[in-house]
Amino acid sequence: DVALLVPIYNEDVSSVFGNSAAMLNDLSFRRSNHRFSLFILSDTQDEEIAAREQQTYWTLVETAPSNFAVYYRRRPDNTDKKVGNLLDWITNWGADYDAMIVLDADSLMTGRAIERLSDELSRDPSAGLIQSCPVLIDANTVFARTQQFSNMAYGWLLAEGLANWVRGEGNYWGHNAIIRTRAFAASAGLPRLKGRMGREQLILSHDFVEAGLLRRAGWRVRFLPRVSGSYEETPRTLIDYAKRDERWCRGNLQHLRLLSTAGMHPVSRYHLLHGAVSYLLSPAWFILLVIWFLLGKNSETNVVRYFNEANPLFPDWPPAMSHIDSAVFLIIMYAMLLTPKVIGATIIGLHPKAARLYGGRLAFLAAFAVELLLSIAYAPILMVQQTKAVLRSAFGKPGTWAPQNRQGHGYSLRTHLWFHWLETILGGVLVFGLASG
């Protein structure tokens, strides 16, 4: 018995229930050895949205294939967010199900993908969790299409490498994964963290930690990159992406406090460290740019010096850098950012069958060039936004954990200027500095 769990919180009702109906209908065409039930687990606090959920639920019950049970449960309070939502289901219904497939509000999986995950878990009694590799879909803005193309063109290379490296010490991304219910219930309960003034804090990015706790208990955590038919959506705008990124940043930086957890596998510790470092690299990059600025364009404008007129015989270490060194420094920095993209695009370009999936080699290379230029343009903006998120988290500034905006509505120029004022000013200063030599 496998439960399909869809935790929601003030989400778009038609999208959530439409995806749920599509998954059930696709499953109904397959002859499976597993029995599936669908649970809509609502934490919605908006009464108007909750009323639409209940009305749409009865429509789903009437139209769903007859061999699938469909349930709807709404909690009056959003206690402990998604962690509490799933804990409530495990406590009250979990014992009746061998496995649970955890989905997100924007998740969509084909019947074949759901069945493949279920088969893999049943064939591997040592596996506690099997994560699929979701592909981005439904992009209808320039920013979202950029993310979608990047995911399709380069994501497979990352996924294949990750799967070969982690083996049985994989990670959990919070959705589109199947979990052995009893293993999760017995070993993946989350503690509270002590915050400022001794106040308890909920672990926000819980999925990485849950994977580590499952592995600590002896269960394998696997990653299957070749399970086709696993999908999710991406934020439609750069502002929505940055807001989601700030939530993730807060959660991932908490992982630094969990690195010393007793009994954790070294690879599980690496997953926790990697998630935090991915955000700490943004302020590090910002500092490197400041250093590059201080190097100047020649020996006269180089602020970083080791010999000065007041004390010419004794150098200040480490040695000074020249203007050529600073150019190499910048090239190396961008090479690290862009090399994975170039490798992925080269492999696709050299294989005609793969290139045809993107409309042919010429169309693919044109799309690659556009994505590359846009990613270079977006990179410093995200660097500033992630640096702000790291500083807010470090100084304990409270943040919100609101549902993601999935409608992709546009923002006014005033909103853009308010949201991006810091990087706009910094960009203006850099342009002025470059123009003035």
Side-chain angles (χ1 to χ4, degrees):
D1 287 344
V2 180
L4 309 179
L5 308 184
V6 186
I8 55 176
Y9 174 70
N10 292 347
E11 298 287 351
D12 179 68
V13 177
S14 58
S15 176
V16 170
F17 283 86
N19 286 351
S20 299
M23 288 186 282
L24 292 180
N25 288 333
D26 202 35
L27 275 171
S28 68
F29 292 108
R30 305 191 66 83
R31 293 182 178 179
S32 178
N33 296 322
H34 312 283
R35 286 185 298 179
F36 297 98
S37 300
L38 174 71
F39 286 82
I40 305 292
L41 306 177
S42 175
D43 269 6
T44 294
Q45 302 301 294
D46 186 302
E47 294 297 332
E48 184 178 342
I49 296 177
R52 290 203 300 272
E53 288 175 358
Q54 293 169 19
Q55 182 180 4
T56 311
Y57 161 68
W58 290 113
T59 302
L60 179 61
V61 170
E62 293 172 359
T63 57
S66 58
N67 54 330
F68 295 100
V70 182
Y71 304 97
Y72 171 85
R73 187 273 285 134
R74 182 189 173 209
R75 290 198 304 167
D77 299 307
N78 181 222
T79 305
D80 290 347
K81 302 181 171 61
K82 184 177 179 179
V83 172
N85 197 349
L86 292 178
L87 175 63
D88 179 80
W89 180 85
I90 291 171
T91 303
N92 291 288
W93 292 276
D96 291 334
Y97 294 89
D98 302 298
M100 55 184 181
I101 293 181
V102 180
L103 301 158
D104 236 353
D106 60 359
S107 292
L108 182 65
M109 296 184 73
T110 62
R112 182 179 181 276
I114 293 171
E115 190 176 27
R116 171 81 186 280
L117 287 180
S118 304
D119 288 343
E120 287 288 340
L121 190 71
S122 63
R123 283 196 294 259
D124 185 357
S126 66
L129 186 150
I130 301 177
Q131 174 70 61
S132 69
C133 185
V135 174
L136 298 182
I137 58 168
D138 200 25
N140 54 12
T141 64
V142 173
F143 177 78
R145 284 182 176 273
T146 302
Q147 301 299 312
Q148 182 174 282
F149 177 83
S150 179
N151 172 263
M152 295 285 289
Y154 328 125
W156 64 271
L157 188 62
L158 168 67
E160 290 289 343
L162 185 63
N164 278 286
W165 183 73
V166 299
R167 302 295 178 177
E169 286 77 44
N171 209 356
Y172 174 37
W173 298 341
H175 55 87
N176 293 41
I178 189 167
I179 305 172
R180 198 176 301 277
T181 311
R182 291 186 181 275
F184 192 86
S187 59
L190 295 177
R192 292 278 183 162
L193 295 178
K194 288 291 184 182
R196 285 179 171 81
M197 308 299 291
R199 287 178 293 187
E200 290 188 337
Q201 291 180 344
L202 181 70
I203 295 178
L204 299 177
S205 291
H206 53 90
D207 37 16
F208 284 33
V209 184
E210 289 161 344
L213 293 176
L214 278 168
R215 189 67 191 93
R216 184 177 71 167
W219 296 99
R220 296 179 71 212
V221 179
R222 296 173 53 195
F223 174 48
L224 295 183
R226 299 189 185 185
V227 174
S228 59
S230 178
Y231 307 105
E232 65 171 327
E233 297 178 14
T234 187
R236 298 322 201 244
T237 69
L238 183 56
I239 289 180
D240 293 317
Y241 187 93
K243 287 179 177 179
R244 186 189 70 173
D245 226 29
E246 181 172 354
R247 297 196 300 270
W248 287 3
C249 175
R250 291 177 182 276
N252 283 18
L253 291 183
Q254 286 181 325
H255 295 166
L256 294 174
R257 299 162 59 186
L258 298 169
L259 292 176
S260 59
T261 302
M264 280 276 197
H265 192 281
V267 177
S268 298
R269 296 184 200 277
Y270 172 79
H271 289 311
L272 296 175
L273 178 63
H274 181 269
V277 169
S278 64
Y279 287 97
L280 294 175
L281 283 177
S282 284
W285 183 22
F286 184 82
I287 292 170
L288 289 176
L289 287 176
V290 171
I291 293 173
W292 181 60
F293 170 78
L294 294 176
L295 292 174
K297 66 177 183 177
N298 52 44
S299 60
E300 296 301 319
T301 56
N302 187 347
V303 179
V304 183
R305 297 185 179 184
Y306 281 78
F307 293 91
N308 57 70
E309 296 177 0
N311 196 5
L313 299 179
F314 295 95
D316 298 323
W317 297 102
M321 293 179 67
S322 67
H323 178 59
I324 296 177
D325 291 331
S326 67
V328 172
F329 176 77
L330 192 66
I331 291 172
I332 291 173
M333 186 165 61
Y334 268 96
M336 288 191 297
L337 294 171
L338 301 179
T339 297
K341 294 176 181 284
V342 174
I343 292 174
T346 301
I347 293 173
I348 293 174
L350 292 176
H351 292 78
K353 288 184 179 180
R356 278 199 293 271
L357 296 174
Y358 299 87
R361 186 172 293 165
L362 188 61
F364 171 74
L365 291 176
F368 168 67
V370 171
E371 192 279 331
L372 201 64
L373 291 172
L374 288 175
S375 66
I376 291 173
Y378 290 141
I381 299 173
L382 292 173
M383 173 196 67
V384 173
Q385 289 295 330
Q386 289 179 351
T387 300
K388 288 166 61 178
V390 168
L391 292 175
R392 287 194 188 106
S393 180
F395 289 104
K397 185 175 180 181
T400 60
W401 202 271
Q404 182 177 308
N405 170 34
R406 308 185 196 276
Q407 302 307 307
H409 60 75
Y411 291 96
S412 65
L413 178 60
R414 180 179 179 182
T415 301
H416 278 95
L417 291 175
W418 173 83
F419 193 85
H420 296 295
W421 68 269
L422 180 56
E423 52 265 45
T424 303
I425 292 174
L426 290 173
V429 170
L430 287 173
V431 169
F432 177 79
L434 289 169
S436 62

Short mmCIF file of all heavy atoms in Angstrom, two decimals, residues 5 50 186 191 201 207 335 376 390:
data_model
loop_
_atom_site.label_atom_id
_atom_site.label_comp_id
_atom_site.label_asym_id
_atom_site.label_seq_id
_atom_site.Cartn_x
_atom_site.Cartn_y
_atom_site.Cartn_z
N LEU A 5 1.00 11.68 -0.89
CA LEU A 5 0.74 12.77 0.03
C LEU A 5 0.98 14.12 -0.64
O LEU A 5 2.07 14.35 -1.19
CB LEU A 5 1.63 12.65 1.27
CG LEU A 5 1.63 11.31 2.01
CD1 LEU A 5 2.50 11.38 3.26
CD2 LEU A 5 0.21 10.89 2.37
N ALA A 50 -9.84 27.52 1.71
CA ALA A 50 -10.20 26.24 2.32
C ALA A 50 -11.58 25.77 1.82
O ALA A 50 -11.78 24.57 1.57
CB ALA A 50 -10.19 26.35 3.83
N ALA A 186 10.27 5.76 12.58
CA ALA A 186 11.13 5.28 13.67
C ALA A 186 12.43 6.06 13.81
O ALA A 186 13.00 6.13 14.90
CB ALA A 186 11.45 3.80 13.46
N PRO A 191 14.58 17.02 15.99
CA PRO A 191 14.67 17.75 17.26
C PRO A 191 14.42 19.24 17.05
O PRO A 191 14.30 19.70 15.91
CB PRO A 191 16.12 17.51 17.69
CG PRO A 191 16.85 17.44 16.39
CD PRO A 191 15.92 16.76 15.42
N GLN A 201 13.74 26.49 18.02
CA GLN A 201 13.54 26.77 16.60
C GLN A 201 13.22 25.49 15.86
O GLN A 201 13.80 24.43 16.13
CB GLN A 201 14.80 27.40 15.99
CG GLN A 201 15.11 28.81 16.46
CD GLN A 201 16.37 29.34 15.78
OE1 GLN A 201 17.16 28.59 15.20
NE2 GLN A 201 16.56 30.65 15.85
N ASP A 207 14.41 18.33 4.99
CA ASP A 207 14.60 17.16 4.14
C ASP A 207 16.02 16.60 4.20
O ASP A 207 16.22 15.39 4.31
CB ASP A 207 14.21 17.47 2.69
CG ASP A 207 14.58 18.89 2.27
OD1 ASP A 207 15.40 19.51 2.97
OD2 ASP A 207 14.07 19.37 1.25
N ALA A 335 35.16 30.87 -14.92
CA ALA A 335 35.33 29.51 -15.45
C ALA A 335 34.70 28.49 -14.52
O ALA A 335 34.05 27.54 -14.97
CB ALA A 335 36.81 29.22 -15.65
N ILE A 376 24.73 34.94 -16.77
CA ILE A 376 25.79 35.87 -16.37
C ILE A 376 25.17 37.16 -15.82
O ILE A 376 25.65 37.74 -14.85
CB ILE A 376 26.72 36.17 -17.56
CG1 ILE A 376 27.53 34.91 -17.91
CG2 ILE A 376 27.67 37.32 -17.24
CD1 ILE A 376 28.35 35.05 -19.18
N VAL A 390 22.01 35.78 3.79
CA VAL A 390 22.95 35.25 4.77
C VAL A 390 23.08 36.21 5.95
O VAL A 390 23.07 35.79 7.12
CB VAL A 390 24.33 35.01 4.12
CG1 VAL A 390 25.39 34.73 5.19
CG2 VAL A 390 24.26 33.84 3.14
#
